[in-house]
Amino acid sequence: MGELNSEMNDILEFLKSKEVKADRLLPAITIFSAFKKALTTAKKESKEMSFAELKALLPTQEQKAVELLAKDKELKVVTSKAFLNRLANEYKEITAAYEGCLLQLVQNEGKNMQALAPEVLQLLEAIIEEYYPKRKDLKVYNPFAGFGSYLLSPQVKEYFAQDENDRAWAIGTLRLYLHGKETKNYHHEDSILSWKGEDDYDLILSNFPFRILKEKEQLTAIEKMVGYANRFRFDQSFLAMLAKAKSPSLTLHSSHVLYGKMSENETRKEIITNDLLDMVILLPEMIHLDNMFATTFLLLNPKKKDKGVVRMIDGRSFVTPPGKKARLLTEDLVKAIKKKDKNFYREVKVEEIVEQNYNFDPERYIYETVELPDFAESARPLSGEDGLVDILPLSKARRDDVYRISLARATDDPFGEREDPILLTKFRGPVYEVVPRDIILSFQNEKVLFAHYKIEGNINEPSALMQFMKVLRLKEKVRINREYLMLMLTTDYVLAQINRYKVGSDDRFTLSDADLARIKIPYCDIKSQRKLVDKLLDEREKAEKEARKRAKEEAKKK
C-alpha cells in the first residue's frame, strides 16, 4: 500500500481550502483518482474537459459510482474547473498515492470497518496461502464488502461482492477500478436480503458490519435463515448465517462472538457439533484503521482436514506500539503460528470446547499453569457441591424495600481500610441481597478487587448491591476462614485461573457464575488457615510500625 505523497497532499490541501468537510474528503479524492486513472488509460489530457466528459471515460459501473458520490450537495467542488484543472498535474503512481490517502482519511474519519489496515490484510493472505497454497484463482463471496479490501488480494480472481451502502459501494467500486480489478460483480444490494451463502465458493471473506439492524425485512430474513434475529447483536446472527453456508468462511468479527448466552451459545454449539470450527485468531485491540473493538478471525470449514480439532491462536501480544496507533506484527504472528509456539498456539479437541460450554476464546485454552502453593493440602472448587461458598444470584423479585449498604472503594487488599464508605441509596430492580460476612468482588486489570462494606439499618434484613459485582456467601458446614479465602483469591494460583476464564477487556472484566464456581482454591485445615492469616497480619503490622517510625525520623530531620 502506498504512502501519502506530495501530489496527493496538494489536492487534499486544495479541498480543505474550499472548506470541504472531513467526511467528504475521501469521496472527492476517490473521484479525482478515478478520473486521473481514466485519463491515463485513455492517454488523454484533461485540458478543457468537463466533469461529464471525464465521467464518460469510465466504464458503466464506475460512472454510476461517481454519480452516487457527486450527487452529494456538499461535493459541488468536484465539478468545478478549479478541481478538474488539477488533473493536469503529473501523478505517476495514482493508485499507490490514493491508497496512502485512503488509509489516512479512514483512520481519521472512523467509518465502521469499511477498510482494513495493510497488516490485517497481510495476515488474511497468509491464512489463505496456508489453506490454498500458490492459488491465484480463488472464487470468493464477499458480503458487506465495504471499500473492497478483501477483493484486492492477489489470490482472488473471481468474486461476488455486495454492499447496500451508497458511499461504501461507490468508493469500493472505484477503488477496485484503480487496482485494475473487474467491478461488474460488485453489486449494489443488501447482503442480508440477497444472501448467497448457499452457493459454492472457495471461500467466503467478510467482516461483519458494526451496526444495528433497523429494517424489519432484514430481521425477518435472518430469522427465516437461522431461527432468531437480534437487531442489536447482528454479529451473532451473521455467525449463525455462516454456520449454515456451504463454503468455508474466513471472517473478521467482534470478539464478543466468542462467548455469550442463550441463542448465541446455541450457534456455537451448532458449529462445534457439526465440527465446523477450524481456527480462531484473537487479535490485539486498536489495530484497525477506524475501529477500537477487539476483533477475531474465525475460520469455519465444512471441508476441514483435521477432524475434531480446533487451532486456537492468541495474537494479542503481536502489536507495536500499544495504543491508538497500534500496528499488528503480522510477520511475527505468522511465524508463531507456523512454529506452533505453545505460548500463543494450541490445538484443542472439540470435547474440551464442549466442557467449556462452547466458549471460543483462545485465552481459555492457551494459558500458563501455576503450581499449587506449598502450604496447601489440596485444591477445592470455589462453589458447587464440593465448593467453599455459594455464589449469590440476583434476586428474582424487583425490590425497593431493601436496606442501604455503605460500600468502600474496591481494592485488591483483602484486609484494606473500611473507612469513609460510599453510602448507596435504595435500589429498584433486581439486586443482590447482602448480609454480614458476605464477600463482595469485582475484577479489574487482572486483579480481584474487594469491596469492604457496612450494613445500614437492621443487619438481620437484606441489603441491596448493584449487579456488576459478585457476592460470595460462606457455606455453613464448610471449615473455611473468611479472611483466608479472600487472601487465596489474590494468589497467582487463583489469578491465573481467573484470567483464563475472564470475559471482557483487561481494564474491566467479569466471569460467569459457572466459571467462577470452577476456580480452584488452595485449601488446608482451619488451624493452618488461621495461622497463615495471623502471620500475614503480624507482618503487616510490623511493616506499618516501621513505616511510621521512618516517617517520624524524616520529619525530625526536616
Side-chain angles (χ1 to χ4, degrees), residues 152-422:
L152 299 179
S153 169
Q155 297 141 313
V156 175
K157 183 178 181 181
E158 185 181 349
Y159 69 85
F160 189 99
Q162 304 158 310
D163 206 297
E164 67 170 333
N165 181 275
D166 292 351
R167 181 181 186 274
W169 175 83
I171 291 175
T173 294
L174 295 175
R175 188 184 184 197
L176 291 171
Y177 167 72
L178 284 167
H179 282 268
K181 293 271 189 177
E182 286 284 343
T183 63
K184 63 181 180 181
N185 286 325
Y186 188 6
H187 297 271
H188 189 197
E189 62 185 17
D190 189 317
S191 300
I192 297 172
L193 300 181
S194 302
W195 178 247
K196 304 297 181 185
E198 70 279 0
D199 297 340
D200 288 321
Y201 299 92
D202 291 312
L203 202 56
I204 299 174
L205 297 174
S206 185
N207 48 271
F208 86 93
F210 288 71
R211 66 179 182 183
I212 296 172
L213 295 179
K214 297 179 180 179
E215 301 298 330
K216 184 177 180 180
E217 292 85 356
Q218 292 176 326
L219 292 167
T220 301
I222 293 170
E223 189 167 4
K224 186 176 180 180
M225 279 188 276
V226 303
Y228 72 95
N230 186 332
R231 70 170 65 245
F232 301 106
R233 292 296 302 274
F234 176 56
D235 51 348
Q236 294 288 352
S237 299
F238 183 41
L239 184 61
M241 291 162 65
L242 293 169
K244 297 184 182 301
K246 290 183 179 179
S247 308
S249 60
L250 178 56
T251 48
L252 188 66
H253 300 261
S254 161
S255 293
H256 289 296
V257 302
L258 303 177
Y259 38 79
K261 299 177 181 179
M262 297 182 294
S263 56
E264 302 170 359
N265 200 48
E266 287 301 312
T267 297
R268 293 192 298 276
K269 181 178 179 180
E270 178 186 352
I271 289 170
I272 293 300
T273 301
N274 295 327
D275 200 9
L276 297 175
L277 189 60
D278 201 326
M279 180 169 59
V280 181
I281 304 180
L282 189 59
L283 297 175
E285 296 180 356
M286 312 292 287
I287 61 170
H288 299 295
L289 297 174
D290 55 1
N291 200 297
M292 295 185 293
F293 286 111
T295 52
T296 302
F297 268 125
L298 290 182
L299 176 62
L300 302 186
N301 190 358
K303 304 171 185 177
K304 65 188 284 189
K305 294 179 181 178
D306 296 329
K307 300 293 184 182
V309 174
V310 178
R311 297 200 295 167
M312 293 285 184
I313 297 133
D314 187 348
R316 292 174 302 164
S317 301
F318 296 89
V319 62
T320 186
K324 290 186 178 180
K325 294 186 178 180
R327 183 171 60 85
L328 180 67
L329 296 173
T330 305
E331 187 176 338
D332 294 340
L333 176 54
V334 172
K335 285 180 181 178
I337 295 172
K338 288 181 177 179
K339 289 180 179 179
K340 300 185 178 182
D341 188 325
K342 66 179 181 180
N343 295 307
F344 313 103
Y345 176 102
R346 185 171 167 229
E347 294 178 358
V348 180
K349 293 183 177 180
V350 294
E351 290 81 5
E352 187 174 348
I353 297 175
V354 173
E355 290 174 2
Q356 294 295 333
N357 197 28
Y358 306 99
N359 191 301
F360 289 179
D361 189 350
E363 190 176 15
R364 182 160 294 225
Y365 305 97
I366 307 169
Y367 56 90
E368 184 179 353
T369 57
V370 177
E371 292 186 2
L372 191 67
D374 293 337
F375 61 80
E377 300 168 0
S378 61
R380 291 182 60 173
L382 180 63
S383 190
E385 187 176 347
D386 192 37
L388 305 173
V389 303
D390 290 319
I391 301 172
L392 266 62
L394 285 167
S395 62
K396 293 181 180 179
R398 296 181 65 84
R399 300 288 299 274
D400 60 2
D401 59 344
V402 289
Y403 284 93
R404 295 173 297 179
I405 184 170
S406 293
L407 188 67
R409 188 176 300 278
T411 171
D412 60 348
D413 182 359
F415 311 120
E417 296 294 330
R418 306 185 185 200
E419 299 174 358
D420 300 324
I422 303 167

Side-chain angles (χ1 to χ4, degrees), residues 443-455:
F443 308 96
Q444 189 172 4
N445 296 327
E446 300 186 355
K447 294 180 180 179
V448 174
L449 303 182
F450 301 94
H452 301 293
Y453 62 94
K454 183 174 65 176
I455 300 294

